[in-house]
Amino acid sequence: MAFKIKKIDHIQLAAPKGCEEAARNFFGEILGLMEVEKPDELKKRGGVWFEFGTFQLHIGVEVPFSPAKKAHPAFVVENIEELKRHLSRNEITFQEDDNLPGASRIHVNDPFGNRLEFLEWE
């Protein structure tokens, strides 16, 4: 092949119109992702972008909106036990899942009902 896929640039999750403040609170304040400015031409579409490491998470407005219940991004975390305590302190529920050998993982719904996975490899 004359081409190769090198890495993921960003993940996009859909959200309803008017989602920006809830997204900033959940992804920015609670999960600690850094908001990055959207290009001017894309700002009028709504939504908000975040960055972590060398990746970006884009929250994009979709009308009509329907949350992703099965499809999901999976985020590798350090100290998942502290993440669980942090989520609990912020009244965010999660489901523990021990079905992946060698990993401790949880599933969380974002404020819009999209499924997110967080895991730590042993």
Side-chain angles (χ1 to χ4, degrees), residues 13 26-27 31 67-72 87 91-95 106-118:
L13 294 174
F26 182 76
F27 292 101
L31 295 183
K69 298 293 187 182
K70 179 75 173 169
H72 64 276
L87 292 171
E91 299 179 354
I92 296 171
T93 60
F94 56 87
Q95 297 77 45
I106 61 173
H107 298 279
V108 177
N109 287 334
D110 72 8
F112 320 112
N114 295 308
R115 181 179 181 195
L116 308 175
E117 179 178 329
F118 296 91

Side-chain angles (χ1 to χ4, degrees), residues 96-109:
E96 297 196 48
D97 183 343
D98 61 359
N99 292 315
L100 182 61
S104 175
R105 68 182 181 164
I106 61 173
H107 298 279
V108 177
N109 287 334

Side-chain angles (χ1 to χ4, degrees), residues 21-35 50 77 82-94 106 108-111 116 118:
E21 287 311 307
R24 286 182 177 105
N25 180 61
F26 182 76
F27 292 101
E29 296 299 320
I30 293 173
L31 295 183
L33 303 184
M34 183 178 72
E35 183 175 349
F50 299 94
V77 299
E82 180 54 34
L83 173 61
K84 291 178 198 177
R85 287 188 289 275
H86 179 71
L87 292 171
S88 293
R89 284 191 300 271
N90 284 280
E91 299 179 354
I92 296 171
T93 60
F94 56 87
I106 61 173
V108 177
N109 287 334
D110 72 8
L116 308 175
F118 296 91

Side-chain angles (χ1 to χ4, degrees), residues 60-79:
V61 172
E62 184 174 81
V63 178
F65 168 70
S66 180
K69 298 293 187 182
K70 179 75 173 169
H72 64 276
F75 300 94
V76 176
V77 299
E78 182 177 306
N79 198 350

Side-chain angles (χ1 to χ4, degrees), residues 17 20 38-48 61:
K17 188 174 181 178
E20 292 80 10
K38 292 178 66 171
D40 287 337
E41 185 60 28
L42 299 178
K43 286 180 183 178
K44 61 186 170 190
R45 297 181 184 176
V48 61
V61 172

